[in-house]
Amino acid sequence: MTLQPIVNPFVPGWGQVPPHLAGREVEKRALKGLLAYLRAGRGSPRGVVLSGPRGNGKTVLMRWFMAEVEASAEGLDPVWLTPSGARSLDDLATVLVPPRRFRSLRPRKLSFSIGIGRLGWELGDRPSSLTQLLVERCQQRPLVLLLDEAHTLTKEVGQALLNASQMVSAEAPFLLVMAGTPGLQAHLNAMSATFWTRGEKIGVGLLDESAAAEALTRPFAEYGSPTTFDDGALREVVAESQSYPYFLQLFGAALWEAAHERGATKIDAALVAQAKVRFGVERSAYYEGRRDELKRGGLLGVAAHLAQTFRNKAHFREHELDAAIAAEPLSEGSSRDADECRDGLADLGYVWKAPGDEDRWRPGIPSLMTYVLDHAGR
């Protein structure tokens, strides 16, 4: 008998991550609505900005959308990119318009040259050339650009891309989708580009309880034994994970391994208790990493003060947040003001404000404030 390997759908590299994109129906509809323009041979009237604290599934949502584009019968062309792969205007142009694929766009039509010793575009300091190149490229083959980790965009590349996106979309089938941390908003604003104010802003936060339960049950049902949950056990896992997608993934992986160790066919309270030990260790390690980031950024004292001020509060007004930040002295030698502190805390996911919430901030990662308060002095 040939033994088949056990595939854990909750572990990166072993299966899809996560294997089932639960919830996010509003976000999916918004993305599909803009994709409809490209399917009709037109550019999207606006781009998309996905923002939210890490661990909420922005990249997973982008992967789902990429699969939607690839499955389109209209010959749409998705390109996945992170800022590390486009550090200059030339890099960006070469990635988006590979010369080997788009030979008809060589200097015969456009006023660029191919660099000596490499096959790539040389645009110099001419952002307008990027627009011209992208228009011609998108007229040949519609383009959907998915830019992950967009909060790390350099100003030079970001300004050129954001401004070009508006002009290209007006002339050819093109859609730009960006994803990043809550600090992405401030990052785009600092680039003085019009893209952010016109873009479709989509916040990616916690799942509701129903979607969180589905994110757990569907993988077990689809990948084999154990296939079912005891109702009480499922409620406990959802509550302990706080409907946070990354914690659901961690707890799911722990349950999967515990179930296979015991040969269990149903997940019950005893199995949850066993998996909870491993989950707790990994969650604490995750929190420790976030605490270290706050400390390196000189924000740990402010973060602990906010945790004390807003203990057990689901959300707080911006003036309350600013007052709490101002009440806590910054680390010695820091020259940042309250706005910069707020942006720094948001960039790390410690606090965040979803697009559309005009004056309501909330903790970015479940129970991280409690952890910081308990461990700030270490």
Side-chain angles (χ1 to χ4, degrees), residues 99-314:
R100 286 187 176 87
R101 287 184 59 197
F102 296 93
R103 295 183 181 278
S104 63
L105 303 185
R106 292 286 181 92
R108 179 173 59 86
K109 286 190 175 183
L110 299 174
S111 58
F112 333 126
S113 61
I114 302 300
I116 298 174
R118 73 180 186 95
L119 193 59
W121 300 104
E122 289 187 347
L123 308 188
D125 295 322
R126 300 186 302 274
S128 60
S129 296
L130 175 66
T131 301
Q132 183 186 6
L133 183 61
L134 280 174
V135 167
E136 296 241 8
R137 180 251 195 265
C138 293
Q139 286 173 343
Q140 285 196 9
R141 189 171 177 85
L143 171 63
V144 177
L145 172 57
L146 300 116
L147 183 65
D148 202 9
E149 302 294 326
H151 55 278
T152 64
L153 264 177
T154 64
K155 187 172 183 178
E156 175 196 8
V157 173
Q159 279 184 329
L161 176 60
L162 298 183
N163 289 324
S165 69
Q166 296 300 304
M167 292 179 276
V168 174
S169 295
E171 298 186 44
F174 174 71
L175 172 61
L176 172 60
V177 181
M178 309 173 74
T181 65
L184 176 58
Q185 302 177 29
H187 192 59
L188 296 181
N189 289 340
M191 290 182 181
S192 301
T194 59
F195 178 89
W196 169 243
T197 57
R198 299 178 184 176
E200 176 86 10
K201 304 175 188 69
I202 299 175
V204 184
L206 302 180
L207 298 169
D208 60 33
E209 289 187 3
S210 176
E214 184 182 327
L216 284 163
T217 57
R218 280 285 293 272
F220 280 97
E222 292 178 3
Y223 281 82
S225 182
T227 60
T228 58
F229 274 78
D230 175 81
D231 288 344
L234 180 59
R235 286 194 298 271
E236 182 176 356
V237 175
V238 170
E240 189 70 20
S241 302
Q242 297 178 285
S243 297
Y244 181 46
Y246 181 61
F247 287 170
L248 289 166
Q249 181 178 313
L250 288 181
F251 217 139
L255 283 169
W256 184 274
E257 294 191 5
H260 279 277
E261 286 174 5
R262 293 175 51 184
T265 58
K266 187 173 185 177
I267 296 174
D268 56 16
L271 198 64
V272 169
Q274 179 181 339
K276 190 174 179 179
V277 175
R278 175 184 165 187
F279 168 69
V281 171
E282 295 193 4
R283 179 176 56 185
S284 293
Y286 179 72
Y287 281 157
E288 183 67 15
R290 304 290 75 76
R291 175 193 169 277
D292 287 346
E293 285 183 327
L294 290 164
K295 187 175 183 179
R296 288 195 301 270
L299 294 168
L300 185 57
V302 173
H305 181 68
L306 292 181
Q308 180 65 52
T309 303
F310 301 117
R311 184 192 290 269
N312 300 324
K313 290 194 69 172

Side-chain angles (χ1 to χ4, degrees), residues 316-323 342 353 358-359 361:
F316 29 88
R317 300 298 183 185
E318 187 162 302
H319 75 272
E320 296 176 314
L321 177 62
D322 289 346
R342 190 198 320 121
K353 181 174 64 174
E358 293 184 0
D359 189 25
W361 289 74

